[in-house]
Amino acid sequence: MIDPETTAQLDDEARHILRANDKEGYTVPTKGLYPFQWNWDSALTALGIATYDANRAWQEIEKLLSAQWDNGMVPHIVFWQHEEGYFPGPGEWQSGQTPPTSGITQPPVAATVVRQLASSLPGDHGARVTPMLHALDRWHQWFADARDPDGRGVVAIMHPWESGRDNLPDWDEPLSHVDTSTVGTFLRRDTQIVNEAERPQNHDYDHYMALVQFGRNCQWDVKTIAETCPFWVAEPAMNAILRRAERDLVALALQFNLPEIARRATARLARLGQGFNQLWSDDAQGYVTLNLRHDKKDNRLTSGSWLSLYGGPENDNRAKAHYSTLMEWRRKISFTVPSFDPNDAAFDDIRYWRGPVWAMINWMIATGLAEHGRHDLAEMIANDTAALIAKSGFREYFSPVTGQGGGGKDFSWTAAMWLYWAS
Ligand code: 2M8
C-alpha cells in the first residue's frame, strides 16, 4: 500500500502531467516521442482528466471523433499541427484527409470511456453524447465491414500499429510474409529520444514501413486491404476491446433513446460473441493470435489473452484457466501483467510490447476480473500498478521483473490510470 502523503504527491504530479501534455482540446501521449493525438491514448486519458475537469474530458473524445473519416474509421494518429520530430509523419501516410491522419485505426476503447464518463459525471449528457454515439456506431460498423468483410465474427488488423501493441512477438511470424525490398532507407526519430533497447528493432520498422507503403499504394482502400494485404491477423485484444465497446454502445444507445443504434450494435455484438471462439487455443488454454491470411494460430499467451474477461462474458472453465495461468505468471515475475508470456523465449522484460507491463492494459484486465467476481486478482493488479508508479514514476511502461520504467516519461495514460483507478 502507498502511504497517503505519497498518494497525494502522485495525484498532484499526475494532474500536472496531464495539464502539461494538453494541447487545447487533445492531449499528447508524451512530449517529444509522440507529439500528436493518438486514438486510444486520448480516450483512456479522458478518464483521468474527468477526475478534475469533466468538460475537458468530453472535449478529448469530441476532438478525436472530429477526425473521423467519411467511411467511418477513426484514425490512429491525428496530426493536428506540423511537427518534424515523429516518424512516420503525414507525408508517409498520405491519407488525403484534413486534418492529416494516419491510414489505420487503433483499439476502439472510446465507447467504453464514454459510458464510464456518462455514468460517473454529474448532469444530463444527452446533447453532448448523442452525436458521439452516432460517430461510434459508424466506426464500429466500419470495423464490421472493412475488417471482417466475410462476417466470420473476428476483426483483422492490417498493421501491428493497429493493435496498439507494436512489437508483440505474435507479429513476428505474420510479418515474415511481408516483402520489405521496396522500403528503402528512412530515419527513425524514436531511437533519438529513447534508448534503442526499449524500442522495436530496425527490421520491425522495415516491415511497419512496408505495410504503410502497401496502404498508401492502394490509397487505404479497405477492399484491397482485406483481399490482399500481406499482414491480415485477428488477435484477442482488439476483438475483446471491440466486443466490450459494442456492449457499452448498446447500453448507451438504450439510455439515450437511440433504438436504431442499439439494434445495429446488438447485431454486431452477437456476431463478435460467436466469432471470438475462433481465437481459443486448447494447447495454450487461452485466446491467441490467428494469422487469417495463412490460417495459422500462434499458441502463445499475451496480456491480450486476459482481455477476454473484459470483452466477456467468459465461461467458467475458461475463466478458471485464465486465473491459474495469471497466477503462474505472477509467481515467475514481480509485477503483473506482463504483455507477453514470461516463460517464452521471446519474452524481453524491457523491450516495449515484448514483456513490459502497461497501466491501461492492467486497468482493462482488472475490470474484467472484477466483473467476473475475482476482486482479489483485480486488486493484486491495481496494487502492482500503483507500486510500479510509486517506484518508477509515470513512465510509458514498466519491467515486470525489476519494476524499472521504460520508454517515454510523464506519460498521459499512465497518469490517467493512476488518477482514475490505481491510486
Ligand atoms: C506506440 O505506438 C506508436 C505508433 O502508433 C509508436 O511507437 O510510434 C504504442 O504503444 C501505441 O499503443 C500507442 O498508442 C502509441 C502512443 O502512446 O505508442
Side-chain angles (χ1 to χ4, degrees):
M1 291 302 283
I2 318 272
D3 65 79
E5 200 183 321
T6 310
T7 299
Q9 274 169 11
L10 289 168
D11 286 351
D12 280 349
E13 203 185 319
R15 283 188 287 266
H16 176 78
I17 288 170
L18 294 181
R19 289 196 171 108
N21 288 345
D22 188 336
K23 293 281 172 190
E24 293 182 11
Y26 70 98
T27 307
V28 297
T30 178
K31 285 189 194 142
L33 188 60
Y34 305 128
F36 306 106
Q37 185 173 28
W38 260 260
N39 187 322
W40 70 332
D41 295 70
S42 231
L44 291 159
T45 297
L47 293 173
I49 299 172
T51 63
Y52 59 87
D53 188 342
N55 180 49
R56 182 62 190 78
W58 285 120
Q59 273 176 4
E60 194 76 29
I61 309 289
E62 284 165 347
K63 187 86 174 169
L64 175 66
L65 295 177
S66 76
Q68 182 167 37
W69 288 20
D70 286 346
N71 71 2
M73 187 183 83
V74 180
H76 111 282
I77 309 175
V78 191
F79 300 105
W80 288 111
Q81 84 289 338
H82 180 79
E83 171 79 56
E84 286 297 328
Y86 181 77
F87 178 86
E92 263 72 37
W93 290 99
Q94 294 177 18
S95 67
Q97 301 287 315
T98 309
T101 71
S102 66
I104 58 174
T105 193
Q106 258 191 334
V109 290
T112 300
V113 170
V114 170
R115 188 174 178 199
Q116 300 276 328
L117 297 183
S119 64
S120 61
L121 297 175
D124 166 17
H125 307 293
R128 202 149 195 181
V129 165
T130 298
M132 292 184 197
L133 300 190
H134 284 286
L136 291 166
D137 178 43
R138 290 183 50 231
W139 185 19
H140 294 183
Q141 190 61 45
W142 173 88
F143 268 108
D145 297 340
R147 295 296 196 245
D148 182 21
D150 302 331
R152 58 187 285 177
V154 282
V155 294
I157 52 170
M158 63 84 55
H159 196 294
W161 284 336
E162 211 155 46
S163 74
R165 299 186 294 159
D166 302 7
N167 62 341
L168 191 72
D170 289 30
W171 319 140
D172 296 353
E173 189 280 331
L175 283 177
S176 69
H177 302 279
V178 176
D179 176 18
T180 57
S181 60
T182 56
V183 166
T185 56
F186 52 85
L187 180 64
R188 287 177 63 176
R189 301 305 186 107
D190 55 323
T191 41
Q192 297 172 349
I193 301 171
V194 303
N195 187 338
E196 254 180 63
E198 298 173 7
R199 293 292 302 172
Q201 308 203 44
N202 284 338
H203 66 84
D204 295 318
Y205 261 78
D206 287 341
H207 289 86
Y208 301 161
M209 293 319 295
L211 289 168
V212 170
Q213 200 171 59
F214 174 90
R216 190 169 72 207
N217 287 347
C218 72
Q219 296 172 316
W220 305 102
D221 176 64
V222 292
K223 193 162 179 291
T224 310
I225 289 171
E227 285 168 2
T228 61
C229 182
F231 184 91
W232 192 245
V233 168
E235 55 101 353
M238 182 63 118
N239 279 280
I241 289 169
L242 182 58
R243 278 182 80 188
R244 172 64 183 235
E246 292 287 27
R247 258 199 297 145
D248 290 326
L249 183 58
V250 172
L252 285 163
L254 293 174
Q255 183 185 346
F256 292 98
N257 200 21
L258 297 162
E260 275 305 298
I261 293 183
R263 190 185 56 73
R264 281 193 295 273
T266 303
R268 290 189 302 255
L269 179 60
R271 183 164 118 174
L272 289 168
Q274 283 170 3
F276 198 68
N277 197 37
Q278 294 165 74
L279 305 181
W280 176 259
S281 159
D282 276 334
D283 291 344
Q285 284 296 299
Y287 296 92
V288 299
T289 292
L290 170 62
N291 183 344
L292 293 169
R293 200 59 90 214
H294 297 269
D295 197 21
K296 190 169 177 193
K297 261 184 194 156
D298 184 327
N299 281 318
R300 297 176 296 181
L301 299 181
T302 72
S303 56
S305 309
W306 318 113
L307 291 180
S308 71
L309 298 161
Y310 167 89
E314 181 59 289
N315 79 46
D316 283 353
N317 284 340
R318 289 187 182 179
K320 280 189 192 131
H322 299 324
Y323 308 147
S324 73
T325 316
L326 185 60
M327 285 318 293
E328 189 269 310
W329 282 21
R330 180 66 172 76
R331 285 189 286 276
K332 181 106 191 170
I333 42 93
S334 305
F335 302 91
T336 45
V337 178
S339 42
F340 190 68
D341 185 348
N343 302 294
D344 193 274
F347 173 79
D348 180 335
D349 75 307
I350 201 66
R351 197 180 284 283
Y352 215 39
W353 287 95
R354 296 181 86 86
V357 179
W358 296 73
M360 81 299 177
I361 297 278
N362 276 5
W363 168 66
M364 290 185 231
I365 295 172
T367 300
L369 285 163
E371 286 169 355
H372 284 76
R374 291 306 301 261
H375 297 279
D376 55 333
L377 297 179
E379 202 176 312
M380 172 187 79
I381 294 175
N383 288 342
D384 281 357
T385 310
L388 287 166
I389 292 171
K391 177 180 166 68
S392 299
F394 294 98
R395 297 299 298 270
E396 186 174 5
Y397 62 78
F398 306 89
S399 161
V401 177
T402 64
Q404 177 196 326
K409 297 190 173 122
D410 297 341
F411 217 87
S412 293
W413 63 22
T414 311
M417 287 298 118
W418 169 265
L419 290 172
Y420 178 68
W421 164 65
S423 63

